Amino acid sequence: MMKIKMYLKSLKLSIKVIFLVALGANFSCTPSLEKEPLYLRIDSQEVFASNISDWDSLELLVPQVGCNSCINLLIDEYQEHHIQTKLNMIGVSRERDLRLNYGEGFVTNPRVQVHTEIKHRPVSIDCFERPALLLSKADTVFYFCFKTDEVENVISYLSANE
């Protein structure tokens, strides 16, 4: 009888230890509580009516694959006008293709960041293969997806306000 009581006490202790270890492992595997920014779409009139100083930061989000005429024109204009705004090239499968298409100067430009992953996934999904201008204010990212006929306006807006 005594052996049975001791066995049950050790079993209770073992269950508590297993529970605490499982609970601790659960907390250690939980992702950090880093706050995800709020993404809001903004129209072109609001963007072009604003001043760059109204925003905390700006960046261009450009997919490698998508509207070729729009992307090519944007990158050509970006380089020609020496735009200072950061350009994030996303979904890049082969950096060599960027070198061939846009030159070594584009890939080595410190303002250009090349990513294999998709950054700002909500924007990437909404804009679907089109570039976007991201305008950040506090923990909110406003974005404007644009087409080929709007590239000149975006470049003019950036170059006039830099």
Side-chain angles (χ1 to χ4, degrees):
M1 189 65 146
M2 184 73 143
K3 286 185 179 183
I4 293 174
K5 283 185 180 180
M6 290 191 55
Y7 175 73
L8 290 175
K9 282 185 181 181
S10 70
L11 185 61
K12 261 188 194 177
L13 184 60
S14 297
I15 290 173
K16 285 180 182 177
V17 168
I18 290 172
F19 176 73
L20 290 174
V21 168
L23 188 63
N26 185 28
F27 282 120
S28 67
C29 292
T30 336
S32 64
L33 298 176
E34 192 175 299
K35 189 172 180 180
E36 191 66 29
L38 174 65
Y39 291 96
L40 297 174
R41 192 172 193 148
I42 189 171
D43 66 25
S44 60
Q45 291 83 13
E46 290 177 273
V47 171
F48 300 136
S50 71
N51 191 331
I52 283 187
S53 62
D54 296 340
W55 309 104
D56 295 337
S57 68
L58 283 92
E59 73 182 81
L60 290 164
L61 190 68
V62 183
Q64 181 183 14
V65 178
C67 173
N68 288 335
S69 60
C70 185
I71 293 168
N72 291 337
L73 179 61
L74 174 64
I75 291 173
D76 289 345
E77 293 291 319
Y78 181 86
Q79 292 184 86
E80 183 179 318
H81 292 279
H82 305 287
I83 301 297
Q84 300 299 308
T85 302
K86 181 169 72 171
L87 185 145
N88 274 311
M89 196 80 179
I90 59 171
V92 176
S93 57
R94 295 187 325 187
E95 197 172 302
R96 182 180 65 131
D97 292 344
L98 294 179
R99 279 184 173 60
L100 291 172
N101 292 338
Y102 308 115
E104 184 68 29
F106 175 74
V107 177
T108 58
N109 184 336
R111 293 179 313 276
V112 173
Q113 296 180 351
V114 177
H115 305 278
T116 55
E117 76 277 358
I118 305 297
K119 293 186 64 142
H120 304 286
R121 191 163 293 279
V123 177
S124 301
I125 291 169
D126 193 25
C127 293
F128 187 71
E129 299 183 348
R130 287 187 295 156
L133 177 62
L134 281 64
L135 308 112
S136 301
K137 185 87 168 169
D139 60 349
T140 305
V141 176
F142 296 90
Y143 65 94
F144 161 55
C145 307
F146 55 94
K147 300 174 185 164
T148 306
D149 59 343
E150 296 168 307
V151 168
E152 292 291 331
N153 294 337
V154 170
I155 294 296
S156 294
Y157 172 74
L158 294 174
S159 62
N161 289 292
E162 287 186 342

